[in-house]
Amino acid sequence: MEKQVIGSRHKLGILGGGQLGRMLIQEAISYDIHVHTMDQNATDPSASIATSHTIGDIKNYEEVLAFGKDKDVVSVEIENVNVDALKELEANGVKVFPQPRVLEIIKDKGLQKQFYLENDIPTSAFELTTENTDTAHYASKLPFVHKLRTGGYDGRGVELIRTEADLENVFKAPSLLEELVPFEKELSVLVARNERGETAVYQTVECEFNDANLVAFLFSPADISQDIEQRATELAIDVINKLEMVGILAVELFLLKDGTLYVNEVAPRPHNSGHHTIECNITSQFEQHLRSVLNLPLGSTEMIREGAMINLLGEPNHTGLAKYEGLMDVMQMPGVHIHLYGKQQTKPNRKMGHITVAQKDIQTAKRIAAEVKGKIRVVTD
Ligand code: ADP
């Protein structure tokens, strides 16, 4: 008989203890799924609400192995984890989703791009560079985008190299050199797949980034034609099927002026571009991730509200104990939902929380979101 996974104190282990793990736990509670997290600090966002929080290094083989061995299912909320330990756990009968072989491809931006090339998934032209690639070669490629193959996150590890003067910023480590794409919009499509191979896809959203490459605003739905919506959706399903991945996948896309869509990169976990689904869709991305990794029926992705999401980022020049300015004001605005991640310390551009504005129409959501953005600041005393 199939083991009952909900309402049964099923043990789910999550590598990473950040806000994504925290929001996953908020949904897991409804299903009485016990979530155990592992990360570096006792103050991690998931620590105070996880069934247990193990202090450990998610990149360390022994520590990941020890953490995972008594779990029924192990998943991640960040891809930069020790994949060898996950392979070992998988060989020992622990379910690991997304699968270690998928994490291995995705955590290395070079392997990820090669995967797209080999599987006819449209993506920008690229080449791999090393610590020995010389300046003359880089100069011949201007302008381009340089990305560390591993370890980059939230815009760290990505450099726009436009001019000769920028050449001093190239990474002296294995990296990916991509043509600079003159995109019109950055889109994202969330798609989930369970072990039975069933898929469920969310409506495409549109992201606006700040100077530090962090999402400043997200709009759902994206302002795109039906044709583009359909092609973006098909592309996301194609990517998850070709990866044969189990879990939720965020597929980040570039839309070019002529309607071309390129896959920029993917994230095999809940993602910043899906936070609005908590209030705006029948099934949130966090619940959907749980449903997919536990091989449950996938939930409806139907949009019930249009919305805008604003990341609450630490203000420049403020490092220390966090204080939120303007919370009382924005709480009075219609359709505003506040999410704070429980991080005591703020620093420039740290993701401290997010606010979703859920409305009947996207225009109203955008207007209120702009007002919210003008009123709220994460500062120190
Ligand atoms: P991260 O893993 O940090 O999210 P991304 O690969 O998504 O890194 O790059 C961050 C941002 O940099 C993108 O959202 C986009 O704005 C810009 N960017 C990345 N690749 C390109 C490219 N080839 N051409 C133009 N802009 C790019």
Side-chain angles (χ1 to χ4, degrees):
M1 209 178 79
E2 204 174 323
K3 192 174 170 199
Q4 193 186 346
V5 300
I6 62 174
S8 66
R9 313 206 156 197
H10 199 69
K11 277 173 105 171
L12 173 63
I14 302 287
L15 295 175
Q19 61 267 16
L20 300 172
R22 179 180 168 101
M23 290 185 272
L24 198 70
I25 294 170
Q26 287 179 275
E27 296 283 12
I29 290 170
S30 303
Y31 286 126
D32 191 28
I33 293 162
H34 286 206
V35 181
H36 303 261
T37 53
M38 177 161 105
D39 215 334
Q40 302 273 21
N41 302 301
T43 52
D44 290 325
S46 74
S48 61
I49 60 168
T51 304
S52 74
H53 182 65
T54 303
I55 309 294
D57 180 358
I58 56 177
K59 297 195 200 101
N60 179 285
Y61 178 85
E62 299 295 339
E63 292 179 51
V64 170
L65 202 59
F67 171 75
K69 66 176 192 264
D70 66 342
K71 306 294 181 295
D72 298 291
V73 179
V74 172
S75 189
V76 300
E77 58 114 57
I78 179 167
E79 45 276 27
N80 201 9
V81 297
N82 191 296
V83 170
D84 289 334
L86 292 178
K87 285 185 174 168
E88 181 70 23
L89 287 168
E90 195 179 45
N92 294 337
V94 176
K95 298 231 173 202
V96 183
F97 295 127
Q99 302 92 322
R101 92 182 142 72
V102 175
L103 286 170
E104 196 161 45
I105 296 170
I106 292 176
K107 71 184 271 200
D108 180 336
K109 289 186 189 223
L111 294 181
Q112 204 186 126
K113 287 287 270 194
Q114 274 165 345
F115 179 85
Y116 300 146
L117 203 61
E118 284 158 17
N119 287 278
D120 292 325
I121 293 164
T123 194
S124 61
F126 70 98
E127 65 177 77
L128 302 180
T129 59
T130 68
E131 53 278 29
N132 300 319
T133 305
D134 60 42
T135 309
H137 183 71
Y138 284 126
S140 73
K141 297 284 172 180
L142 285 170
F144 62 89
V145 180
H146 211 212
K147 303 181 179 182
L148 278 178
R149 285 183 62 169
T150 57
Y153 197 68
D154 275 352
R156 289 186 299 262
V158 174
E159 287 287 345
L160 258 67
I161 312 289
R162 289 181 188 277
T163 62
E164 301 245 336
D166 294 337
L167 287 174
E168 65 181 33
N169 297 331
V170 296
F171 296 111
K172 314 259 177 325
S175 298
L176 176 69
L177 183 159
E178 283 181 15
E179 65 169 333
L180 187 70
V181 178
F183 57 79
E184 202 175 54
K185 283 181 192 287
E186 295 198 59
L187 307 175
S188 176
V189 185
L190 283 165
V191 58
R193 184 171 172 278
N194 63 15
E195 269 185 275
R196 287 186 289 274
E198 294 159 353
T199 55
V201 64
Y202 289 81
Q203 183 123 5
T204 305
V205 303
E206 185 174 339
C207 299
E208 272 183 27
F209 290 77
N210 71 7
D211 294 342
N213 277 340
L214 289 158
V215 176
F217 286 106
L218 170 149
F219 304 122
S220 172
D223 184 13
I224 51 176
S225 68
Q226 275 217 336
D227 165 60
I228 292 166
E229 171 74 41
Q230 190 179 337
R231 285 191 289 117
T233 303
E234 284 167 3
L235 189 50
I237 295 172
D238 192 39
V239 175
I240 202 166
N241 280 336
K242 284 179 171 158
L243 283 168
E244 292 180 38
M245 188 195 118
V246 172
I248 199 158
L249 184 74
V251 182
E252 294 181 35
L253 304 171
F254 291 142
L255 170 64
L256 278 68
K257 268 213 162 54
D258 66 359
T260 302
L261 288 170
Y262 280 152
V263 173
N264 171 29
E265 62 166 2
V266 297
R269 50 171 170 78
H271 189 251
N272 202 175
S273 63
H275 288 353
H276 66 290
T277 57
I278 298 173
E279 288 90 9
C280 294
N281 296 72
I282 289 183
T283 310
S284 79
Q285 63 162 346
F286 301 100
E287 180 181 347
Q288 197 75 302
H289 186 65
L290 288 172
R291 285 175 177 246
S292 53
V293 302
L294 297 173
N295 205 22
L296 297 165
L298 298 176
S300 162
T301 57
E302 189 186 328
M303 190 165 57
I304 45 178
R305 283 277 184 280
E306 305 203 336
M309 194 274 315
I310 305 129
N311 273 332
L312 291 181
L313 303 172
E315 285 287 317
N317 303 321
H318 287 261
T319 301
L321 210 55
K323 204 176 82 177
Y324 299 87
E325 273 180 9
L327 270 189
M328 298 303 146
D329 280 348
V330 303
M331 279 178 78
Q332 294 172 41
M333 298 181 186
V336 165
H337 299 267
I338 293 170
H339 297 259
L340 301 182
Y341 300 153
K343 298 178 184 176
Q344 288 201 336
Q345 301 287 323
T346 183
K347 55 185 177 197
N349 274 322
R350 187 172 193 203
K351 285 179 179 165
M352 302 297 288
H354 75 264
I355 291 181
T356 300
V357 183
Q359 284 291 336
K360 285 204 181 70
D361 67 282
I362 184 70
Q363 294 316 330
T364 311
K366 281 186 180 177
R367 184 174 48 73
I368 297 173
E371 270 179 59
V372 168
K373 182 91 178 160
K375 285 202 165 18
I376 199 148
R377 280 175 7 121
V378 188
V379 295
T380 53
D381 276 323

